[in-house]
Amino acid sequence: AASACNRGRAWAYAMEIIQVMEQSLVQQNLVTYGAALTACEIGSRWTAALVLLKELCSSKMKPDAVVFNLASAACMTSSEWQQALELV
């Protein structure tokens, strides 16, 4: 469902899906977060991407290089180069 949000540029829905999954005790994974981060990149929502990354880092999951690259790409799309460089 989160990856379908990428096609519709619906970053807000992707964020909502992550929250609903958490509230429903449905296990999220790196693919789910990656899809939501991609939606943030497409929607030029770099701050939302950083919120997702922060949530992921505080969870039991360990973000991988792909996740950091996706968050960095969301920052670069919005010309937030300093933020992007801090993630690399």
Side-chain angles (χ1 to χ4, degrees), residues 14-88:
M15 299 282 288
E16 187 175 333
I17 289 168
I18 296 282
Q19 290 175 350
V20 168
M21 288 177 75
E22 185 175 295
Q23 293 168 354
S24 302
L25 302 176
V26 174
Q27 182 70 34
Q28 303 107 323
N29 57 35
L30 293 179
V31 173
T32 307
Y33 275 93
L37 287 165
T38 300
C40 290
E41 176 190 2
I42 292 168
S44 298
R45 302 295 179 177
W46 68 274
T47 54
L50 294 181
V51 168
L52 282 173
L53 183 61
K54 183 178 180 181
E55 288 176 10
L56 181 57
C57 288
S58 65
S59 74
K60 294 179 182 178
M61 290 180 279
K62 300 242 184 207
D64 59 8
V66 172
V67 169
F68 278 104
N69 285 338
L70 290 170
S72 179
C75 293
M76 289 188 298
T77 298
S78 299
S79 298
E80 292 293 332
W81 305 107
Q82 186 65 35
Q83 293 290 334
L85 288 173
E86 289 178 18
L87 296 175
V88 195

